[in-house]
């Protein structure tokens, strides 16, 4: 491993750029063209990053100085804001996000960093006089090196979503970002690592995959893992981490139901349903992928939604008219299409076929037009499995209880939307849904002050909100007998 200032997208380890022996090509999913190269992390780079983070944690300068940490996180936020346009450009180029959707992702980073800067300053612990002359104090201490693993669908927002609370708590960190977004990762690494006041080694960023991620998960020197990714990988990580009894925060897959009640304002709701399907080309953990519609409005929804989905302009981020970019790569286009074909062959009714773009100027890219299928069997794989693409199933219901039962009949429980103009129905339904987030007449509204995460197979623990800190701290009870009993 060597350090250089070359144009290859690099890791950031121990306060400086770091290279790897292996270089690979970065590809634009909208064209299939090579756009640069990157250093690929393996066990050697992961281990070097862990050691740098351990050394930084051993020095109390960072872990005991919350004022320093808050200042650094705020400065990091400024740096992300200053380079927001560059991040949006890179996300368009290698992740396929339209500029609007790229801005949506990038805007999270400074907000999350500032929230965690503030959170670092609010820690007041607990003190109590237990009996006369005896006091108990509970202090929160950082657990040590945090291993952070984030997926390719939103590396800026999701990497920072875990990194900011880890640093705010006083941990040091190794962030394993995905090779699919290596060019973006390199800029993230520089913005994080180059923040004035951040000790060398306190925040290391490597571009890798499951091999480097596995080193973090198995290392006895990494006591906590903050993982965002699929439920299948979350299960593997949870099992591997158990060998060292390490704590694991898991933000996993989803299968978000969108429930349209009979009195829903469709002029308001249908554009949201379309956004819920096409934002990040359906490659969003909260993608609205199951539409549950009251049978009395089903005909109208079928017709109007079909027209809206057929009108979605698919294209590269470089075209300002594009409303939905490409899928991450062609193998994923094939994977999505195989799932859709399987569903159709098992009886799903095609409302809008959509599918891979195979001719014209977009054919070289990994484009997939939005698809709408009507199904009656809730046990079909297209309803139960995460597709991670712009594929929406539609089912009808007649009663509120039926809608709730259908929504909850899933291994997932990440998020849900309810559309109605009633005042009682939404709260009643929201309370009954097995879901970490519920939006009423809206979708995917997230705020750093409020907890985000999954019920059931959608996760363990919470990101954002006050609970976010729990993955990164130990509570220590100190009992004092200071002799404060009044003299007799
Ligand atoms: P994935 O689970 O395949 O991989 C995520 C990352 O984990 C990879 O980039 C890789 O670096 C690492 N990894 C893979 N196998 C590993 C292993 N055995 N040990 C350690 N690290 C390993 O997920 P993906 O396909 O990259 O991302 C899409 C998935 O992420 C979807 O299921 C989506 O719903 C989910 N997701 C969830 C949230 C959330 O907040 N709940 C947000 C975004 C994405």
């Amino acid at each position: 491993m060597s350090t250089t200032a070359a144009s290859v997208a690099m890791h950031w380890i121990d306060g400086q750029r770091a290279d790897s022996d292996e270089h690979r090509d970065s590809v634009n999913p909208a064209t299939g063209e090579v756009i640069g190269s990157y250093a690929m992390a393996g066990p050697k780079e992961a281990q070097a990053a862990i050691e740098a983070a351990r050394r930084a944690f051993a020095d109390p300068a960072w872990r005991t100085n919350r004022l320093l940490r808050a200042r650094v996180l705020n400065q990091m936020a400024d740096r992300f804001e200053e380079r927001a346009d560059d991040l949006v450009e890179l996300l368009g180029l290698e992740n396929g996000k339209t500029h609007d959707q790229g801005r949506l992702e990038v805007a999270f980073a400074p907000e999350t960093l500032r929230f965690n800067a503030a959170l670092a300053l609010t820690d007041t612990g607990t003190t109590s006089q237990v009996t006369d002359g005896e006091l108990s104090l509970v202090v929160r201490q950082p657990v040590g090196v945090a291993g952070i693993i984030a997926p390719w669908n939103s590396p800026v927002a999701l990497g920072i979503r875990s990194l900011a609370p880890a640093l705010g708590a006083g941990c040091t960190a190794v962030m394993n970002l995905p090779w699919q977004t290596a060019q973006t990762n390199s800029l993230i690494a520089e913005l994080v690592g180059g923040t004035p006041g951040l000790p060398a080694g306190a925040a290391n960023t490597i571009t890798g995959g499951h091999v480097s991620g596995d080193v973090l998960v198995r290392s006895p020197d990494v006591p906590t893992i903050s993982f965002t990714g699929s439920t299948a990988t979350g299960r593997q990580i949870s099992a591997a981490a158990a060998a060292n009894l390490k704590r694991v925060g898991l933000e996993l897959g989803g299968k978000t139901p969108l429930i349209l009640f009979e009195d829903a304002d469709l002029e308001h709701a249908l554009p949201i349903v379309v956004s819920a399907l096409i934002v990040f080309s359906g490659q969003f953990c909260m993608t609205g992928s199951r539409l549950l519609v009251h049978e009395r409005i089903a005909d109208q929804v079928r017709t109007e939604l079909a027209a809206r989905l057929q009108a979605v302009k698919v294209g590269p981020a470089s075209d300002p008219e594009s409303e939905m970019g490409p899928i991450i790569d062609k193998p994923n286009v094939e994977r999505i299409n195989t799932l859709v074909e399987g569903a159709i062959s098992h009886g799903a009714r095609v409302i809008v076929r959509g599918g891979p773009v195979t001719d014209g100027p977009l054919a070289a890219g990994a484009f997939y037009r939005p698809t709408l299928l009507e199904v009656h069997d809730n046990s079909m794989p297209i309803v139960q499995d995460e597709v991670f693409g712009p594929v929406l199933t539609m089912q009808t219901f007649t009663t509120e209880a039926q809608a709730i039962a259908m929504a909850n009949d899933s291994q997932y429980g990440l998020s849900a939307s309810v559309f109605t103009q009633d005042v009682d129905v939404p709260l009643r339904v929201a309370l009954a849904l097995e879901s970490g987030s519920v939006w009423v007449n809206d979708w995917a509204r997230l705020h750093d002050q409020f907890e985000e995460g999954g019920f059931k197979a959608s996760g363990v623990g919470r990101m954002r909100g006050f609970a976010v800190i729990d993955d990164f701290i130990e509570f220590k009870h100190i009992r004092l007998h200071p002799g404060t009993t009044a003299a007799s």
Side-chain angles (χ1 to χ4, degrees), residues 151-152 158 161 176 209-210 228-230 233 236 251-253 285 386:
W152 50 261
L158 302 178
R161 189 178 66 169
N176 186 63
H210 67 279
T228 305
S230 66
T233 305
Q236 287 172 19
E251 291 284 322
L252 307 176
C285 52
E386 192 179 34

Side-chain angles (χ1 to χ4, degrees), residues 149-154 158 161 176-180 208-218 227-234 236-237 240 250-254 283-286 332 386 388 412 414 452-454 458-459 463:
I149 303 174
W152 50 261
N153 70 324
S154 294
L158 302 178
R161 189 178 66 169
N176 186 63
L177 295 183
W179 54 265
Q180 292 93 332
H210 67 279
V211 174
S212 49
D214 187 60
V215 172
L216 297 182
V217 171
R218 292 183 194 274
F227 171 76
T228 305
S230 66
T231 294
T233 305
Q236 287 172 19
I237 286 178
L250 301 171
E251 291 284 322
L252 307 176
Q283 305 165 111
F284 188 170
C285 52
M286 293 173 166
N332 270 294
E386 192 179 34
F388 223 51
Y412 296 111
L414 189 62
E452 173 192 357
S458 287
M463 300 304 298

Side-chain angles (χ1 to χ4, degrees), residues 189 218 266 328 469:
R218 292 183 194 274
L266 293 184
I328 191 68
I469 207 79

Side-chain angles (χ1 to χ4, degrees), residues 263 420-429 440-441:
D263 64 345
T420 170
Q421 296 184 67
D422 195 275
V423 289
D424 297 327
V425 169
L427 189 56
R428 198 164 60 220
V429 173
V440 177
N441 296 321

Side-chain angles (χ1 to χ4, degrees), residues 135-455:
L135 294 174
S136 273
L137 330 177
V138 174
V139 288
R140 295 155 164 226
Q141 294 188 323
V143 290
V145 176
I148 293 165
I149 303 174
W152 50 261
N153 70 324
S154 294
V156 181
L158 302 178
I160 296 299
R161 189 178 66 169
S162 292
L163 181 73
L167 296 182
C171 291
T172 58
V174 178
M175 186 158 57
N176 186 63
L177 295 183
W179 54 265
Q180 292 93 332
T181 58
Q183 307 297 320
T184 312
N185 305 348
S186 184
L187 180 52
I188 296 171
E190 187 185 316
L191 295 176
V192 168
T195 305
L198 182 78
N204 307 277
T205 304
I206 57 175
T207 283
H210 67 279
V211 174
S212 49
D214 187 60
V215 172
L216 297 182
V217 171
R218 292 183 194 274
S219 170
D221 296 322
V222 178
T224 186
I225 294 287
S226 181
F227 171 76
T228 305
S230 66
T231 294
T233 305
R235 286 201 171 98
Q236 287 172 19
I237 286 178
S238 186
N244 282 313
L245 295 176
K246 68 178 65 179
R247 71 180 72 182
V248 184
L250 301 171
E251 291 284 322
L252 307 176
K255 196 72 189 172
T256 297
L258 311 169
I259 308 176
L260 292 184
F261 281 96
E262 188 184 356
D263 64 345
D265 173 357
L266 293 184
E267 277 303 302
H268 171 81
L270 292 185
I272 296 175
V273 171
V274 173
S275 291
L277 183 66
I278 71 168
V279 165
F280 304 167
S281 308
Q283 305 165 111
F284 188 170
C285 52
M286 293 173 166
T287 290
S289 52
R290 293 190 289 153
L291 186 63
L292 309 180
V293 185
H294 193 280
E295 64 172 3
R296 283 204 204 95
I297 56 169
D299 285 343
Q300 188 186 353
V301 168
R302 224 178 264 121
T303 310
E304 292 184 13
L305 186 57
R308 287 178 187 272
L309 291 177
Q310 277 155 345
V312 169
K313 185 152 176 3
V314 173
S318 55
D319 179 352
E321 302 281 301
S322 299
E323 294 171 311
M324 187 177 92
I327 301 300
I328 191 68
D329 54 29
K330 287 222 173 196
N332 270 294
V333 169
E334 283 309 307
R335 182 187 58 74
I336 294 165
N337 206 39
T338 302
L339 293 171
V340 170
E341 281 174 351
I344 295 169
S345 71
H346 283 87
R349 175 184 166 201
V350 176
I351 311 290
V352 178
R353 176 59 181 91
V357 177
T358 53
D359 52 18
L362 300 183
F367 290 96
Y368 198 101
R369 295 190 200 283
T371 297
L372 176 60
L373 303 174
E374 186 160 356
V375 293
H376 300 291
D377 179 358
N378 209 57
S379 69
M380 284 176 77
I382 201 76
V383 180
Q384 291 294 325
D385 298 342
E386 192 179 34
V387 175
F388 223 51
V391 176
L392 179 64
T393 58
M394 174 173 157
Q395 294 165 271
T396 55
F397 65 86
T398 48
T399 65
E400 182 182 311
Q402 206 182 0
I404 293 168
M406 283 161 79
N408 285 344
D409 179 18
S410 168
Q411 68 162 326
Y412 296 111
L414 189 62
S415 57
S417 288
V418 178
F419 295 88
T420 170
Q421 296 184 67
D422 195 275
V423 289
D424 297 327
V425 169
L427 189 56
R428 198 164 60 220
V429 173
L431 289 171
L433 290 172
E434 296 162 355
S435 179
S437 297
V438 181
W439 302 285
V440 177
N441 296 321
D442 219 327
W443 168 77
R445 303 291 301 204
L446 301 166
H447 304 283
D448 282 290
Q449 302 97 304
F450 303 109
E451 280 73 8
E452 173 192 357
F455 280 33

Side-chain angles (χ1 to χ4, degrees), residues 76-97:
M76 213 178 270
D78 295 343
R79 290 165 65 80
F80 273 84
E81 252 165 13
E82 282 157 18
R83 298 294 297 276
D85 288 348
D86 296 329
L87 287 164
V88 169
E89 199 60 44
L90 285 169
L91 285 172
L93 200 59
E94 71 175 348
N95 198 231
K97 287 196 174 90

